[in-house]
Amino acid sequence: MPPEPGGAMPDDTRFHVFISYAHRRDQELAATLQREIRRFGVPFYRHQPVFPTAPAGARRRPLRVFRDATNLPAAPSLPQQLVEAINASHWLLLMASPDSAASSWVRQEVGLWLAKDPAATRVLIALTDGRIATTVDNQRIDPELTDALPPDLVAALRHVPLWTDLRTVRGPVESGAGRRRRIGDVVADFAAPIQGVDKDTLVGEHLRQQRRTLRAALGATALVTTLALVASALAVVAFRARGEAVRQRDTALANQLVAEAATITDTQPGLARQMLAAASRISRTPQVAGALAAGRSIPQEVRVDAELAAFSTDGGVLALARSGNDEYTTLGTTHPATDGVIRLLGTKSLTEAGTIPLGHGISQGIVFLPGERRRIAAGYDTAVRIWDVQDPSHPRELPSLAGHRDVVDLLATGAAGLVATVDWKHELRMWDVADPAAPRLLSATALPMLEERSYSRLAFAPGARRLVFSDVSRGPAFVDVSDPAKPRVLPLVPALGDVQSFAYAPEGGWALSGGRESPARRWRVGPTGAVASPAALPVADPGAQVLEAATGPQGQLAAVTEDGNVQVWNNGLDDDVPPLVATFLVPEFDANNTDAFGFSPSGRQLMMLSPGTNTGPGGAGRQDDSTLRIWQLADGRQPGAVSARPGGTIAVHENVLASVSGDTLALWDVRQEGPPLPLGSLPAGASVEVLAFNPDGSRLAILSGNRLVTVDTKDPGRPAKSGEWTIAGLPDVCVEGKECAAWSVAFVDDHVLAIGDSSRQITLVDTTGPSGGAPLGTIVAHYGSVTNLDVLHPPGGGPVLVSGGLNSPAAELWDVSDPARAELIAPVCAGGTFTRDDTGARCAGGYSLLDLATDRGGRLMAAADRAGTVRVWRLGDGELQVLATMQDTGDVYEVAMSPDGARVATIGRDRTLRYYRIAARTVTLEGVVHIGPGAGRSLAFAGDDHTLVAAMEHGLADVWELDPGINSRALCAGSGERITRAQWERDIPGLPYEPPC
C-alpha cells in the first residue's frame, strides 16, 4: 500500500525530508526542489524551521530539508553525518534516474533508509529520467523494465508507489513561466504528505500567503520605487557626467598621442607606430583614424644586430647578416669570439622566419641570386657560401664558390646566373651559377687598380655586360665583362671623377651618381655603357654631401645626404628633370654611417640599415644593435598609400580597378595589400575623361570628348572593344564650329548607358546593340550642362536617373523605366533649401553641385557642392529623405560611396580626404587625412567599404585602407622594440600598461 500522508514525527527527527540524487545529472533540480519544498505555504517573514508539523490552518514555518551539497563537506565515502541525517529524517525524496540507480552513494543512502523503513512507506519518488514500469496486473514494480530505481528499493516495495514525473521539468521542453508553474505543482505533490495535509488545503494556504506577501510587497515597492527613482536619476546624471569626462579625457589623450607620434617619426619610428596603435585603442577620433590611414608613411623599424642587408629577388624575404670573429685583443682588452648569423625576415610581418649560422668567419657581403627559387649567397672568409631559402625556416646549403686567394671582399650578381667576386688580394673572379648544383669558375683576373683605389660596392650594369666599382674612392671604375671569361678594365671616366656613389637603373638607360664633393645627378647611359647628359637633381640642401645612392625598378632614385635627409626622385615621370617626390628625415649619425641602402625588387620599399638604435632615454633595445628602416613608396608623394598604379582616370568594380594612363587602359586586381596585380590592357585613345563599369562589371564605358567606347570586361584578363558611338547633343546648341562634349556617364542597368553632355542633353544608349546605333531616347535637363549622373533604385519600381548640371545646386530625378519616354519626377537640392516662388522652383542659398554618388543598391545618395556642403539622402517610402548634411571647409570636388552604403568619402579644395560612417539615422565623421598638393578629383571604393582608390594629380591611382583595425595591425608590423613601462607612463599616463603591439 502507498504511504499515508502525515503521521506523528518521532522525537529524534531533525529533518522533514532527505533528498537522495545523482550529482552529475540532477544537482540543479535538487537545489530547486530543496528551496521550494522548504518554503511552500510558509509566510515570507517566518524563516526558522519548526517541529513538529503544524496542524492544518496553523501558521507554518519552513520545513527542514537535508541535501548533502548544503549540509555536508565533500568526502570520498558516505560520512557519519550523512548516516545520522538519514536516521534523523522523516521522509526520503528519491530523484529517480538511471544515473541515480547506478550511483553507489544513492544505493547506500537507500539501503540505510530501508533499514529504518523496510516497506518504504515514507519514500517519495521524483522521476527525472529513465522509466518506472509496473507488472501486468499493476500490483508491483516490474524490475526488468524499470531502470530508474535502485534494485534494493524495487525489491522492498510491496506496492506501486506514487511518483511524480519531472522529466519535462528538467529538460528543455519547458522554460519561463510555464516551467515555474509546473515546479509549483510538483512541490505541492511532495510538500502535502510531508506536512501531513491534503494537497488542496496546502495549495490554498500557499496562495493566501502569496496574496498577503504581494500586498505587503506592493506597499514596500511603491516606497522603494519612489526612492529608487530619485536615486537612479541622480546616479544617471553622475554616470553620464563621469562617462563624458572619461570620453573627453580619452579623446584628448588619443589626439595628443597622434601629435607626439608625428614628432618622433624620424628618430623613433617604431615607437611612433606604437603610439598610433595605442591611440586607436583609447579613442578612434577622426584625427586618430586619419593618422592610422596614413600610418604607412611612418617607416617600419627593426632593431637587430646586423651589418648587411638584402632583399630576395621576389621581395618576400629580407636578409640581415652579422659577421663573426675569432677572439682578439685591442688596447689591452680581449674581445671574445662571436658567431655570425644571417636572419631571414618575412617582409610582410618583418618577423624572423629562419636563421643561418655562419660561425666565426668574416662575412663581407650578401646577395640573392636571380632565378625562380630563392638562393642567397654570402661571402664567408675565402669562399662564397650559397643556400636555398625557398622555405626560410629550412635553409639548405648548396655547393660553395671556393678557391679564393684571400677573404672575399665584394660580391655581385647579374643576369644569366653570373656572379662576380673580389677578394682582399684584388682578384676578380667570374662564376656561372645557373646550375646551383655545379657552379663553374669562368675566369680569375688580377685588378692592380685596387692597389691604389678603394671601393665598397660592386654591381652589374643591366644586361650583365659591365661591372662598376663605387663608393669610398672618387671616380667609379668599370670592367667590361661582356665576355666573362676575359674581363677587361675600362679607362676611368673623367666626367665621373668627383663621384663616389654610382648606381645603374635596373631597367637600364640611365644611372644615379653622388659624392661628398659631387651633387646628386642623373646620367643617360648609352648602349655601350657610356654616360652622358648629366642632370642635377633638385635637393633640399644643394650644399649637402651625398653619401649613398640607390635606384629602383619603377624609375625611383634615392640618396642619403650628410644632413640626415633621405631624398627620393621619380625618373619615370615625363619630366626633363626628375622631380623630388619625397624627403624623409633620419638622425645625422645614421645618415653618416649607413651600412646598407636600397630599394626592394618591386620598388615599393626603400631600406636603410645604420648602427645604433636611437632609443632615447629609457628606451628599449641594446645600444649595440642596428636600426633597419623601411619606407613604403607605392607612391613617393603619398607614402601612406597601400599601393599605387599609373592612372589619372579611374573606375572600380568590386576588386577590379580600371585606370587610364596616357592612351592605355589597364585593369588591375586590388584584392590584397601590395601592388595591384595586372590583369589586362588595351589602347584607350587620347584624352579619356570618364570611365564607368556597368553593375555586374561585364562592361566598361570610356568617354573621350563626344566619343563613347564600350569594352567587354567579362574576362578582365582579356578586355576587348565591343562598341563605339558619337554623342551628338542638342542640334540647336551643337552647331557647326561649336562641338559639344560629353561630360558624364552612368549605367542605368547592365545594358543601358546614360551620357550627359555640355548641351544639357542626356542620351540613353543600348550598349548591347549595334555599334553606333540610334539612341533609345534622350532627355533635356533644366540646369545647364550635365556634369553628373548616377542611378537610384526605388523598391518595387524602375530605375531613377539622377542628373546634375553645371553652375546649379539642383539635381533632377528622372524615371527611365522606359528610356524612350523618360519623365521628370522632381528636383532635389544638393545645397541650399528647396523653395517655390513666382520664378519657379529653386535651391535658395545653394551653390553649384560638383559631384554625385550612390551605393550599389541605389538606396543611398550623396552630393557635394561648391560651398562645401555634403548632403546624404536615404530612399524610403517613395521619396528621398535627407539623412545628414555635413559642412566642409570649401569646394568639395569629389564624393564616393562604398557599395554597401556604409561609408562616404570626399575630397575638395583643402586637399583633405574626409570619410564618414553612415548609420541608420546618422552620418559621422570617421577620419581626416591631409593629402596635400597631389590631391586629385576622382575617388572610388572597391568592393568593400574600406578600400578607397584616389586618382592623384601626378598621374597615379593610389589605394588607401580606411579600416582602423586593419591599419592598427599594419602599424604593429615593423614597430621596433615593444614600448617600455617607463615610456608608457611618460606618454600615456593614467592608463594601465597595455602595449598595443
Side-chain angles (χ1 to χ4, degrees):
M1 293 294 292
E4 295 294 331
M9 297 277 289
D11 293 338
D12 60 348
T13 298
R14 293 188 292 113
F15 299 102
H16 290 85
V17 62
F18 182 100
I19 299 179
S20 180
Y21 63 99
H23 284 227
R24 183 176 65 86
R25 180 172 183 81
D26 293 325
Q27 185 159 347
E28 181 180 352
L29 185 55
T32 301
L33 288 178
Q34 180 189 25
R35 181 178 65 252
E36 296 300 326
I37 291 173
R38 183 176 181 274
R39 68 188 186 185
F40 195 84
V42 178
F44 72 92
Y45 52 84
R46 299 179 71 88
H47 298 293
Q48 299 301 319
V50 65
F51 286 89
T53 303
R59 290 189 175 181
R60 303 176 184 278
R61 291 186 181 274
L63 301 180
R64 290 184 61 86
V65 180
F66 185 93
R67 183 172 65 90
D68 56 0
T70 57
N71 298 80
L72 283 182
S77 62
L78 206 63
Q80 183 60 33
Q81 295 112 306
L82 200 61
V83 175
E84 293 174 357
I86 292 173
N87 291 329
S89 298
H90 194 54
W91 289 86
L92 174 69
L93 173 56
L94 174 65
M95 302 186 71
S97 69
D99 284 354
S100 66
S103 168
S104 61
W105 278 64
V106 172
R107 287 188 176 194
Q108 291 181 64
E109 291 166 357
V110 170
L112 287 170
W113 184 267
L114 294 175
K116 61 180 280 189
D117 180 17
T121 58
R122 293 192 306 280
V123 176
L124 304 173
I125 298 174
L127 181 63
T128 65
D129 195 15
R131 183 180 181 187
I132 297 177
T134 62
T135 56
V136 176
D137 57 4
N138 292 325
Q139 297 299 309
R140 299 287 295 272
I141 297 295
D142 188 335
E144 298 297 328
L145 299 179
T146 298
D147 62 1
L149 297 177
D152 291 348
L153 179 59
V154 174
L157 288 169
R158 298 290 181 267
H159 59 275
V160 176
L162 294 176
W163 51 274
T164 302
D165 191 346
L166 269 65
R167 287 176 295 184
T168 58
V169 173
R170 81 169 306 282
V173 175
E174 292 188 28
S175 61
R179 186 175 188 270
R180 289 194 296 272
R181 286 193 296 271
R182 177 75 174 120
I183 287 285
D185 197 37
V186 166
V187 169
D189 287 341
F190 297 135
I194 293 171
Q195 296 198 27
V197 297
D198 62 87
K199 179 177 178 180
D200 290 343
T201 300
L202 184 60
V203 170
E205 175 69 13
H206 184 68
L207 293 176
R208 282 193 296 275
Q209 297 299 341
Q210 281 190 329
R211 288 193 292 270
R212 185 180 296 123
T213 300
L214 180 60
R215 287 194 298 270
L218 287 175
T221 300
L223 176 61
V224 172
T225 299
T226 301
L227 296 175
L229 287 173
V230 174
S232 297
L234 296 175
V236 168
V237 171
F239 180 79
R240 287 179 177 175
R242 181 182 181 279
E244 179 61 20
V246 171
R247 188 192 67 79
Q248 291 181 8
R249 180 206 65 184
D250 290 349
T251 297
L253 180 56
N255 290 342
Q256 179 184 340
L257 287 176
V258 172
E260 290 182 2
T263 67
I264 61 171
T265 55
D266 55 337
T267 57
Q268 295 174 272
L271 181 57
R273 295 170 76 93
Q274 292 182 68
M275 282 185 170
L276 293 186
S280 175
R281 289 186 178 184
I282 295 169
S283 179
R284 285 181 178 172
T285 68
Q287 290 83 356
V288 170
L292 292 173
R296 290 167 180 79
S297 62
I298 303 175
Q300 293 175 290
E301 180 184 31
V302 177
R303 304 286 172 78
V304 62
D305 184 7
E307 305 149 351
L308 306 167
F311 282 103
S312 63
T313 53
D314 64 357
V317 171
L318 176 62
L320 300 168
R322 180 195 70 216
S323 179
N325 62 266
D326 294 318
E327 182 181 292
Y328 65 97
T329 301
T330 57
L331 301 176
T333 301
T334 299
H335 300 271
T338 60
D339 289 326
V341 65
I342 299 176
R343 292 182 171 85
L344 303 171
L345 276 59
T347 52
K348 287 187 176 180
S349 64
L350 288 183
T351 56
E352 191 170 286
T355 59
I356 301 174
L358 292 179
H360 297 172
I362 300 174
S363 298
Q364 293 290 97
I366 57 171
V367 294
F368 279 89
L369 305 179
E372 294 182 358
R373 297 187 64 83
R374 295 187 190 123
R375 292 181 296 157
I376 189 171
Y380 183 77
D381 281 345
T382 60
V384 175
R385 296 173 66 184
I386 302 174
W387 295 265
D388 183 312
V389 291
Q390 188 67 26
D391 178 359
S393 63
H394 295 88
R396 179 170 58 88
E397 188 159 11
L398 302 173
S400 300
L401 309 183
H404 295 85
R405 297 170 59 202
D406 209 327
V407 172
V408 175
D409 188 28
L410 299 175
L411 180 63
T413 62
L418 283 180
V419 172
T421 61
V422 178
D423 61 27
W424 283 358
K425 295 291 187 182
H426 309 142
E427 183 178 70
L428 168 66
R429 291 190 172 218
M430 300 296 298
W431 305 82
D432 180 353
V433 295
D435 181 358
R440 293 188 303 118
L441 176 65
L442 301 178
S443 63
T445 305
L447 299 178
M449 66 178 182
L450 298 182
E451 299 286 348
E452 300 177 356
R453 305 176 68 83
S454 179
Y455 299 104
S456 62
R457 178 183 295 178
L458 178 66
F460 278 95
R465 298 177 61 84
R466 180 174 292 204
L467 279 170
V468 57
F469 292 79
S470 63
D471 282 355
V472 185
S473 293
R474 289 191 298 274
F478 297 90
V479 178
D480 185 337
V481 290
S482 53
D483 181 357
K486 298 178 180 179
R488 181 170 58 89
V489 177
L490 298 174
L492 295 176
V493 180
L496 300 175
D498 58 352
V499 166
Q500 288 172 293
S501 297
F502 186 89
Y504 282 109
E507 64 270 29
W510 49 273
L512 172 65
S513 73
R516 294 188 178 274
E517 298 179 9
S518 173
R521 289 180 291 184
R522 181 199 66 183
W523 299 80
R524 297 288 183 185
V525 178
T528 63
V531 296
S533 306
L537 300 177
V539 293
D541 180 3
Q545 297 178 0
V546 176
L547 307 178
E548 297 286 339
T551 58
Q554 296 182 15
Q556 301 103 326
L557 312 170
V560 181
T561 55
E562 62 177 346
D563 56 352
N565 280 307
V566 177
Q567 297 169 94
V568 180
W569 300 269
N570 193 331
N571 194 51
L573 302 179
D574 295 329
D575 297 281
D576 292 335
V577 177
L580 179 65
V581 297
T583 299
F584 307 116
L585 299 178
V586 297
E588 290 186 13
F589 175 84
D590 295 52
N592 284 270
N593 294 275
T594 302
D595 288 326
F597 184 64
F599 286 93
S600 65
S602 68
R604 295 183 62 248
Q605 292 93 21
L606 176 63
M607 169 269 294
M608 176 179 176
L609 179 66
S610 54
T613 58
N614 297 300
T615 57
R622 301 183 302 275
Q623 294 300 313
D624 57 350
D625 279 350
S626 294
T627 298
L628 173 74
R629 292 176 177 83
I630 299 178
W631 290 274
Q632 302 302 313
L633 294 175
D635 178 355
R637 286 183 171 90
Q638 294 297 331
V642 174
S643 59
R645 276 297 180 257
T649 305
I650 62 169
V652 183
H653 178 267
E654 295 296 338
N655 297 308
V656 176
L657 164 66
S659 67
V660 173
S661 178
D663 60 357
T664 299
L665 167 72
L667 300 177
W668 313 88
D669 185 340
V670 294
R671 265 179 295 190
Q672 57 190 8
E673 182 162 339
L677 301 175
L679 298 173
S681 64
L682 80 168
S687 303
V688 173
E689 298 171 357
V690 182
L691 296 175
F693 278 104
N694 68 342
D696 69 2
S698 64
R699 191 170 286 105
L700 178 70
I702 304 175
L703 198 59
S704 305
N706 64 346
R707 175 173 171 262
L708 170 68
V709 173
T710 57
V711 177
D712 185 330
T713 54
K714 287 191 290 291
D715 179 1
R718 303 178 65 182
K721 180 179 175 181
S722 58
E724 182 175 344
W725 291 261
T726 299
I727 307 305
L730 288 174
D732 58 341
V733 177
C734 305
V735 297
E736 186 176 351
K738 186 181 178 182
E739 186 176 281
C740 293
W743 284 358
S744 56
V745 296
F747 275 95
V748 173
D749 54 31
D750 285 329
H751 310 297
V752 178
L753 179 69
I755 308 101
D757 63 42
S758 57
S759 72
R760 295 190 295 122
Q761 180 169 277
I762 302 170
T763 304
L764 298 168
V765 173
D766 183 357
T767 58
T768 62
S771 180
L776 298 174
T778 59
I779 302 170
V780 178
H782 299 92
Y783 297 107
S785 302
V786 182
T787 53
N788 292 284
L789 290 172
D790 228 308
V791 180
L792 292 168
H793 295 282
V800 173
L801 183 67
V802 186
S803 66
L806 186 65
N807 300 324
S808 171
E812 293 181 294
L813 308 182
W814 304 89
D815 182 349
V816 289
S817 301
D818 181 356
R821 285 180 287 275
E823 296 182 1
L824 177 65
I825 300 172
V828 295
C829 293
T833 305
F834 184 77
T835 61
R836 285 184 182 276
D837 54 25
D838 296 340
T839 62
R842 60 192 180 89
C843 299
Y847 292 81
S848 301
L849 186 153
L850 296 181
D851 199 24
L852 290 169
T854 60
D855 68 332
R856 182 193 292 123
R859 304 297 175 82
L860 288 167
M861 183 175 79
D865 75 359
R866 191 174 295 280
T869 301
V870 179
R871 187 162 287 171
V872 179
W873 293 267
R874 187 182 297 279
L875 184 60
D877 297 330
E879 63 179 13
L880 279 176
Q881 301 165 350
V882 175
L883 184 60
T885 300
M886 296 85 75
Q887 199 63 42
D888 213 319
T889 57
D891 299 8
V892 177
Y893 300 140
E894 184 76 7
V895 60
M897 187 173 288
S898 63
D900 62 0
R903 278 190 174 96
V904 63
T906 67
I907 199 164
R909 182 187 291 275
D910 62 357
R911 298 167 175 172
T912 297
L913 170 67
R914 291 176 174 83
Y915 48 100
Y916 304 79
R917 264 291 188 185
I918 302 176
R921 292 183 173 83
T922 59
V923 179
T924 307
L925 178 64
E926 183 180 17
V928 179
V929 181
H930 184 62
I931 301 296
R937 298 196 179 196
S938 185
L939 296 174
F941 277 93
D944 51 42
D945 68 344
H946 54 86
T947 303
L948 183 70
V949 183
M952 311 305 289
E953 291 286 359
H954 46 272
L956 291 178
D958 287 354
V959 179
W960 291 83
E961 176 58 66
L962 303 184
D963 185 278
I966 294 176
N967 288 329
S968 184
R969 290 189 293 273
L971 282 170
C972 285
S975 57
E977 297 290 334
R978 177 176 291 185
I979 186 172
T980 66
R981 186 176 295 275
Q983 290 170 328
W984 180 278
E985 292 173 353
R986 179 193 67 203
D987 298 323
I988 313 176
L991 293 181
Y993 175 59
E994 294 181 0
C997 298

